[in-house]
Amino acid sequence: MRENGVVTATLPLVDHCLDVGAAMAVVIDGWRGPLEAAAGRVLSAQDLARLCALAALHDVGKANRGFQARIDPARPPVGHTAPVAALLNHSVLKQGAAAAMLAALMRDWGARQHFAGVMAHHGKPLAAFHQRATIETDPWVKHVGEWVVKEDDPAALVVPVIEAVRARWPLAWEAGAMLPDAPRFVALFAGLVTLADWLGSDTRRLPVGAPHGDAREPLRVEQVRAAAAARGFVPLDTPACDFEQAFGFCPHGFQLEAAGDDLGAVALIEAETGSGKTEAALWRWLELRRRGQVDGLFFALPTRSAAVQLHARVDAMLKRVWGMDAPEAVLAVPGYLRAGDAVGQALPDHAVRWDEPGAAPDARWAAERSLNFLAARVAVGTIDQALLGILPVKHALFRAGVLSRSLLVVDEVHASDSYMAGLLERLLAHHIAVGGHALLLSATLGAAARATLLGGVVPPLEEAEVQAYPTLSGSSATLRPAAGAAGAAKRVAVEVAGLIGDAEAIATQAVEAAHAGASVLVVRNSVAGAVAVAQAVAARAPELAFAVNGVATLHHGRFARDDRERLDQAVEAAFGKGRAARGQVLVGTQTLEQSLDLDADFLITDLAPIDVLLQRIGRLHRHRRDDRGAFSQARVLVLRPAERDLSVLLGKGSGARQGLGSVYPNLVQLEATLRVLEQSPEIVIPRDNRRLVERALHPAALAAISAEGAAWHNHAAERAGGELASAEAARRIALDLSQPFRTLTFADVVEAVVTRLGARDLLIDLPEPIASPLGGAVTRIAIPAHMARGIGPRDQPHVIGAHAFEVGSRRFGYDQWGLHALD
């Protein structure tokens, strides 16, 4: 431990190793079910002892000469994981006592793969432990000098550590069956070693100073258990309650049926927005907990706004079920720092101060960093957090590992995005293989996507478009009607107009409807398109423009956290269930289309795939009202290019696209959607959902368009052969954890997909606040990855004006229209 650069206390290596081994014991208790599912058998007492011993040995490499020299901060940094491979592989070093002891336990326990997993506890498999590393020595040969005997023998420091671990878990060294070596078991174990290391390294509970040695054991046992309990890692019973007690109203039939054990490990609910899918998902979680099949819950939504809104509902349910002892739902959205009702404040050096005193110091650990979100007992966040567990990025194994105890609920699963579906398919395959459960929710899933996610054969188009809707199904259950999920029929008048490139004309349409008393929702495919229309509305009719604290604005993802909260609250007040009947115009992007409880009279929307459009149409006439006047029938105006022939967009130099071919890259899907809409001047929801989705997204419908000419055919080929190839590309990038651990590599080939997930967004803290145009001040803001290109890891932000700042060579403005680049 250092204070002002001076070493004030040290922790013996053996004590730290035993701390982490003890932490592994409580982690195993919390994740026993997934470990045994992945192993394919019950874990014996000896298996558990060996796993704890292996975890305890995670830091034996800290004995190397270079690492020990780091007590002098001026010395070059030397690691402690890859150097262990040099100790084990070098022809001379491996003859030493320490190397021989490690080699013997790996041989006797069948733990060579497991030991490589332990050495990956800093976030990814090491090249030095790859199965080729014994022949291609470059990954570890540079570390040989850190162990060579000179005046001292660094490896001699490893021997007492191994002996202390053996004394603590003697059963591990007795003769017995080999450890389970199923690859998914090893990958799961590797991820949980990271968790144990963090748990056992908490200096608030396990101080660097005294006690040391034998006197530390009582403290160690007490504090790792207390830390695990505070963080929600210790199993928690589920109180008895019925559906009405949990949610405050009587259930529909499908909400109870969705909790049944016959659906399988992956269940699917297809029903329109507002049908009660969320409560069905939460009830399924409670029932799975009672059956001992899951512990945690991760509710994954497509947008941050949706997650913020749902978080409060989930937390309220927890309080109704558990009362005063309820676990807090973590809001798994970077930068929000929210657990239950408590809101944290970011401090220097990644510390967080919570506004609710008296809790255990680590009780809200999972809410403090995005890396920790999936370890929460209950978390509500965005789908990217879960998908990062299956991509070859740092700490993927930890994310996938801690998620394994949870019911993974994925809301708003779409049929049109086959790439994301491919990632989800790989995540589900691993999650289920290690004993997890998943529930998928969708208003608009196509037969092809359903077959991919649940297994099965895609029916012909004629059969697919007449299948029941709404429905329940699962990996062990065929499609069946969902009783009570269908709401009252909603008739929607559909008009298509070639105005997508004309912001002034779009604003005119919106303002005219608002002058006639309509609450108008305008949803655009891009931020730039949304800003252009919002500015035009504010200039033309400021009294009708959506505003926050009297300032005209719009809704999209490029606002600071505090402003996003103000926006969400203002949107719900203006367009929510209790809104006033008045003319108004709200403009936004995809942040408005999913999960927010909005109720509009008239929708203007850019063309998008049919499943996305149906989500947007779900914001029309969401609640029963008698004050809609001239808009008593729901109406949607779908915007297409002025040139009806979408094939002109197939060329690379086709000008402004308004998201057509970029945000939504599959122009075949867009053409199919446009044709369906042109043939449907009126649609009835939910009666027509299945027909619309299949006629615009079924493989046969898309193939028919692709065959119409060379331009369409070539576009399909450029799109990697269509949806199936796109999904296959996602599966190729995603981790395959069914492969032996020592064959895994985390190559830097996923920048594009990680950027797409939002995981590369740059979160910055401004050195001084800038005034928010919506009220208050902005101190922290996320810069989207595509806007942050060129910013280095050491570049610091500087405020350069009342509403501007710079980071590195990039300059940004922040005003009522959100974040924008100035260069």
Side-chain angles (χ1 to χ4, degrees):
M1 178 180 292
R2 298 180 190 271
E3 293 182 8
N4 299 320
V6 178
V7 176
T8 58
T10 59
L11 178 66
L13 177 59
V14 65
D15 282 331
H16 171 64
C17 287
L18 292 176
D19 288 348
V20 172
M24 190 71 211
V26 299
V27 168
I28 288 172
D29 284 347
W31 277 265
R32 181 76 169 265
L35 284 165
E36 292 187 337
R41 66 169 174 81
V42 173
L43 296 177
S44 68
Q46 185 176 62
D47 292 327
L48 303 183
R50 287 176 172 174
L51 295 177
C52 291
L54 284 166
L57 296 172
H58 74 297
D59 271 357
V60 292
K62 286 183 175 178
N64 83 74
R65 181 179 292 109
F67 187 88
Q68 290 291 309
R70 288 174 63 176
I71 195 168
D72 178 357
R75 296 294 293 270
V78 174
H80 63 276
T81 51
V84 179
L87 185 66
L88 295 172
N89 292 330
H90 188 264
S91 58
V92 174
L93 295 177
K94 69 181 181 182
Q95 305 300 321
M101 294 168 76
L102 292 173
L105 70 85
M106 283 190 280
R107 179 191 66 240
D108 296 342
W109 303 357
R112 191 169 182 82
Q113 301 283 346
H114 309 73
F115 193 77
V118 168
M119 290 298 113
H121 64 271
H122 282 185
K124 60 182 180 180
L126 301 177
F129 285 89
H130 195 278
Q131 66 181 15
R132 295 191 304 266
T134 54
I135 300 172
E136 300 171 8
T137 57
D138 288 348
W140 56 260
V141 71
K142 64 183 178 181
H143 300 296
V144 169
E146 308 300 340
W147 297 105
V148 171
V149 177
K150 297 179 181 177
E151 300 84 10
D152 61 338
D153 180 6
L157 300 176
V158 175
V159 173
V161 175
I162 299 174
E163 291 175 340
V165 172
R166 180 170 184 164
R168 176 63 180 80
W169 290 281
L171 180 59
W173 271 262
E174 293 183 8
M178 299 288 189
L179 279 170
D181 63 355
R184 294 191 192 276
F185 173 80
V186 177
L188 175 55
F189 170 63
L192 295 180
V193 170
T194 298
L195 178 60
D197 184 29
W198 292 344
L199 189 65
S201 301
D202 187 344
T203 57
R204 293 173 297 184
R205 292 185 177 274
L206 297 163
V208 172
H212 297 152
D214 292 342
R216 191 176 181 85
E217 181 64 15
L219 173 74
R220 174 183 297 129
V221 171
E222 173 191 355
Q223 288 300 318
V224 296
R225 173 63 61 174
R231 299 183 189 197
F233 303 157
V234 175
L236 176 70
D237 289 337
T238 308
C241 71
D242 60 23
F243 188 98
E244 188 170 0
Q245 289 172 305
F247 302 106
F249 59 87
C250 295
H252 297 301
F254 87 98
Q255 291 172 321
L256 297 181
E257 191 179 355
D261 208 19
D262 62 324
L263 295 177
V266 183
L268 170 64
I269 304 175
E270 297 176 76
E272 63 179 314
T273 302
S275 61
K277 297 192 297 291
T278 296
E279 288 77 15
L282 296 175
W283 184 248
R284 180 169 178 82
W285 174 63
L286 291 171
E287 290 291 88
L288 288 174
R289 289 192 101 256
R290 292 190 179 97
R291 296 197 290 265
Q293 294 174 292
V294 302
D295 182 344
L297 169 70
F298 186 75
F299 210 119
L301 296 114
T303 66
R304 296 179 183 184
S305 295
V308 171
Q309 185 181 66
L310 182 59
H311 169 261
R313 292 170 59 189
V314 172
D315 200 63
M317 179 276 295
L318 296 175
K319 290 181 173 66
R320 285 192 292 267
V321 174
W322 272 273
M324 295 295 293
D325 297 325
E328 293 179 325
V330 166
L331 178 58
V333 177
Y336 275 71
L337 297 175
R338 188 174 301 169
D341 297 326
V343 178
Q345 178 184 352
L347 301 176
D349 298 324
H350 304 290
V352 177
R353 182 175 67 204
W354 291 94
D355 62 358
E356 214 172 273
D362 44 5
R364 300 185 177 110
W365 170 84
E368 294 182 350
R369 297 177 62 199
S370 61
L371 180 56
N372 304 344
F373 287 159
L374 298 182
R377 170 161 277 133
V378 178
V380 180
T382 50
I383 183 60
D384 60 289
Q385 298 298 324
L387 292 177
L388 286 172
I390 206 64
L391 290 169
V393 294
K394 192 174 183 181
H395 293 304
L397 299 174
F398 165 76
R399 287 185 168 99
V402 294
L403 181 64
S404 63
R405 69 169 178 165
S406 297
L407 172 65
L408 170 62
V409 179
V410 184
D411 198 10
E412 309 291 11
V413 177
H414 280 329
S416 60
D417 194 337
S418 55
Y419 199 81
M420 294 293 281
L423 294 179
L424 179 59
E425 179 190 0
R426 181 60 63 84
L427 175 64
L428 292 175
H430 178 71
H431 188 62
I432 302 311
V434 297
H437 286 256
L439 173 61
L440 311 178
L441 308 178
S442 180
T444 55
L445 201 63
R450 187 189 318 112
T452 298
L453 293 170
L454 299 183
V457 178
V458 182
L461 175 57
E462 296 75 14
E463 294 181 19
E465 65 176 304
V466 296
Q467 288 179 324
Y469 183 90
T471 57
L472 289 173
S473 58
S475 53
S476 299
T478 57
L479 211 64
R480 62 178 184 255
K490 177 170 66 180
R491 295 185 176 275
V492 182
V494 179
E495 180 183 355
V496 179
L499 302 176
I500 197 169
D502 191 340
E504 291 292 337
I506 298 169
T508 297
Q509 293 277 345
V511 168
E512 287 179 355
H515 274 309
S519 285
V520 183
L521 192 63
V522 181
V523 182
R524 309 227 61 198
N525 292 339
S526 70
V527 172
V531 169
V533 172
Q535 290 175 337
V537 170
R540 185 180 297 269
E543 74 283 3
L544 300 177
F546 170 73
V548 176
N549 293 329
V551 177
T553 185
L554 75 166
H555 195 280
H556 60 67
R558 296 185 199 167
F559 283 94
R561 186 200 74 177
D562 289 347
D563 282 345
R564 284 287 293 267
E565 293 188 9
R566 295 184 185 98
L567 283 167
D568 289 348
Q569 292 168 3
V571 164
E572 289 189 42
F575 279 78
K577 185 175 183 179
R579 70 170 175 84
R582 69 181 184 88
Q584 54 185 332
V585 180
L586 169 62
V587 183
T589 62
Q590 294 89 335
T591 57
L592 294 175
E593 77 190 27
Q594 295 164 321
S595 297
L596 287 175
D597 186 12
L598 307 184
D599 184 316
D601 300 317
F602 180 39
L603 171 67
I604 302 175
T605 171
D606 289 348
L607 177 64
I610 191 64
D611 51 350
V612 176
L613 287 180
L614 287 172
Q615 289 289 344
R616 297 176 184 180
I617 291 171
R619 310 301 141 199
L620 280 171
H621 288 220
R622 186 178 172 97
H623 300 294
R624 187 179 298 277
R625 301 176 66 98
D626 298 322
D627 54 7
R628 299 187 190 273
F631 292 84
S632 58
Q633 180 179 10
R635 291 170 50 191
V636 57
L637 175 64
V638 179
L639 308 173
R640 61 160 175 80
E643 171 61 60
R644 167 59 185 85
D645 184 7
L646 295 189
S647 67
V648 301
L649 297 174
L650 298 176
K652 294 184 178 179
S654 55
R657 292 177 173 269
Q658 306 298 332
L660 308 183
S662 52
V663 176
Y664 300 107
N666 194 325
L667 289 165
V668 179
Q669 292 178 348
L670 294 172
E671 175 65 25
T673 296
L674 188 52
R675 294 183 186 185
V676 169
L677 294 175
E678 289 171 335
Q679 297 165 5
S680 307
E682 181 181 81
I683 61 176
V684 180
I685 305 297
R687 184 197 69 187
D688 294 334
N689 278 42
R690 187 74 76 196
R691 174 182 64 84
L692 295 169
V693 169
E694 298 302 343
R695 289 191 181 181
L697 296 177
H698 193 281
L702 300 179
I705 294 175
S706 298
E708 289 183 0
W712 288 115
H713 176 80
N714 292 338
H715 173 68
E718 189 177 334
R719 289 282 307 141
E723 291 187 12
L724 293 177
S726 186
E728 181 59 31
R731 289 190 289 270
R732 285 197 303 270
I733 286 176
L735 288 170
D736 182 0
L737 297 179
S738 68
Q739 300 301 309
F741 191 87
R742 295 181 64 232
T743 67
L744 297 178
T745 58
F746 281 21
D748 294 329
V749 296
V750 294
E751 181 70 29
V753 70
V754 173
T755 297
R756 180 177 180 179
L757 293 178
R760 288 283 191 261
D761 289 359
L762 179 64
L763 191 65
I764 65 166
D765 290 309
L766 297 173
E768 56 188 274
I770 61 175
S772 164
L774 307 183
V778 173
T779 59
R780 170 177 284 191
I781 193 166
I783 302 176
H786 71 278
M787 296 175 68
R789 293 187 181 120
I791 298 176
R794 297 184 179 180
D795 289 338
Q796 297 298 313
H798 301 281
V799 174
I800 57 175
H803 300 287
F805 62 94
E806 63 182 8
V807 189
S809 61
R810 304 299 307 276
R811 304 176 71 213
F812 300 93
Y814 186 81
D815 56 23
Q816 70 198 89
W817 314 115
L819 179 74
H820 54 276
L822 295 176
D823 47 9

